[in-house]
Amino acid sequence: MRTVYVNGEYVAENDAKISVFDRGFLMADGVYEVTSVIDGKILDFEGHVLRLERSLAELGMPMPMPADDLLAIHRELVSLNAVDEGAVYLQITRGAPADRDFAFPPEGTPQTVVLFTQSKPGLAGDAAASKGIKVISIPDIRWGRRDIKTVQLLYPSMGKMMAKAAGVDDAWMVEDGMVTEGTSNNAYIVRGNTIITRHLGNEILSGITRAAVLRFAREAQMTVEERSFSIEEAQTADEAFITSATTFVMPVTEIDGVQIGSGSPGPLALRLREIYVDESRKAAV
Ligand code: PLP
């Protein structure tokens, strides 16, 4: 049984308790981060904690504790649960006031802080990458502040179910004719030596993996264009892929039933995956 962290205590998962008045539960009034673990070490903690701080600030919430303390909890959970490869999930909500109320709780109401690990042996080797994934497109009907990593994940969850019903792996969301991002990842296409991915803004989450991968791509002399693209453009691209903390770089071989390039994972995507995993492994804490 896993040991999880809840508001200052390490407890067995079955003993963990959160109030029914918690605003995360009642109103999705909370933010989260998912950080990958390789070799029992945390990947890109600094990037994740900076984004966490920003998500909280955008919702008018403080950091519940210093970043170093959060890192210590991550490490302790990885150690207690003997995670070699997997992820640490962290969630912070506006806490549990005395009653349900749309208004924010009084200042000083303690925030709820929860962390738990998920063990995923084989994550870095992931055989799925050599096969790639297939996606469908769905309309993006999420709220307008997708740059904040809130726990409001109903539509992405429905999107994954739509993909499953269509017999594919995931969905890319489209707004005003342009791809925003995947249900839980950033979306890319490749033309020649150029990697194209949507520019940052309120419409997408600023992926921590995205930032690292674009940096590695530029260092490897690939050209990066940060602009939006349509499903039609993606279907005629040489390659397509997604990035996220838990999938790293994952090739996309089919979009809405149309094969991308040769129909096999593209060479640039696979090279970026290799660079990303190697470099992240080296820099892990
Ligand atoms: N976009 C969305 C909507 C996501 O949910 C995620 C990750 O969960 C990402 C992009 C990728 O972000 P990261 O690379 O930081 O995991």
Side-chain angles (χ1 to χ4, degrees):
M1 195 192 296
R2 255 181 305 198
T3 300
V4 304
Y5 174 93
V6 184
N7 296 329
E9 287 183 67
Y10 294 92
V11 293
E13 60 183 51
N14 289 0
D15 297 329
K17 286 192 177 64
I18 298 288
S19 164
V20 295
F21 298 113
D22 194 277
R23 289 181 60 94
F25 175 64
L26 293 179
M27 299 181 176
D29 187 0
V31 301
Y32 76 109
E33 281 295 331
V34 179
T35 313
S36 264
V37 175
I38 302 188
D39 305 329
K41 290 183 181 167
I42 315 289
L43 265 51
D44 215 336
F45 180 78
E46 200 186 335
H48 285 280
V49 87
L50 285 173
R51 183 174 64 189
L52 172 70
E53 212 163 343
R54 180 182 179 278
S55 291
L56 287 166
E58 290 297 305
L59 297 177
M61 279 190 259
M63 276 278 274
M65 65 183 82
D68 283 351
D69 294 359
L70 284 178
L71 177 58
I73 299 169
H74 278 71
R75 284 182 163 149
E76 182 67 10
L77 281 181
V78 166
S79 160
L80 287 170
N81 294 295
V83 179
D84 181 46
E85 291 192 346
V88 180
Y89 177 91
L90 166 158
Q91 177 169 333
I92 298 171
T93 78
R94 208 180 298 274
D99 205 350
R100 180 175 181 271
D101 189 351
F102 280 81
F104 288 177
E107 210 154 304
T109 302
Q111 288 162 287
T112 300
V113 182
V114 167
L115 288 92
F116 57 82
T117 54
Q118 288 188 306
S119 207
K120 290 183 190 159
L123 185 69
D126 200 352
S130 57
K131 207 169 121 251
I133 62 162
K134 296 175 179 175
V135 303
I136 51 165
S137 63
I138 60 172
D140 196 339
I141 60 166
R142 296 173 301 162
W143 79 323
R145 290 302 306 276
R146 303 156 195 161
D147 56 310
I148 309 173
K149 199 167 168 63
T150 73
V151 295
Q152 197 186 201
L153 295 176
L154 181 55
Y155 189 64
S157 172
M158 290 170 74
K160 299 257 188 208
M161 295 310 290
M162 290 182 230
K164 198 172 170 185
V168 298
D169 307 288
D170 206 349
W172 280 11
M173 295 179 281
V174 175
E175 186 173 59
D176 299 330
M178 296 292 176
V179 174
T180 51
E181 57 189 334
T183 56
S184 62
N185 43 68
N186 290 112
Y188 305 72
I189 56 172
V190 177
R191 292 193 168 276
N193 194 41
T194 303
I195 291 164
I196 301 156
T197 193
R198 193 181 175 106
H199 50 283
L200 296 179
N202 293 346
E203 300 76 25
I204 64 167
L205 184 71
S206 174
I208 303 309
T209 319
R210 177 188 183 279
V213 164
L214 293 188
R215 191 173 71 243
F216 296 141
R218 288 182 173 115
E219 282 169 12
Q221 312 306 322
M222 299 172 192
T223 309
V224 174
E225 270 181 31
E226 295 183 67
R227 62 160 174 89
S228 49
F229 58 85
S230 64
I231 288 292
E232 293 70 29
E233 184 181 2
Q235 286 173 326
T236 61
D238 296 323
E239 300 183 27
F241 63 91
I242 57 164
T243 66
S244 75
T246 51
T247 60
F248 309 134
V249 177
M250 183 61 68
V252 171
T253 58
E254 190 186 290
I255 305 173
D256 283 339
V258 174
Q259 175 182 305
I260 307 307
S262 65
S264 305
L268 258 70
L270 290 177
R271 183 151 155 243
L272 279 173
R273 180 183 176 90
E274 200 176 299
I275 298 173
Y276 177 79
V277 173
D278 284 355
E279 294 297 322
S280 303
R281 199 189 281 274
K282 273 189 243 164
V285 298

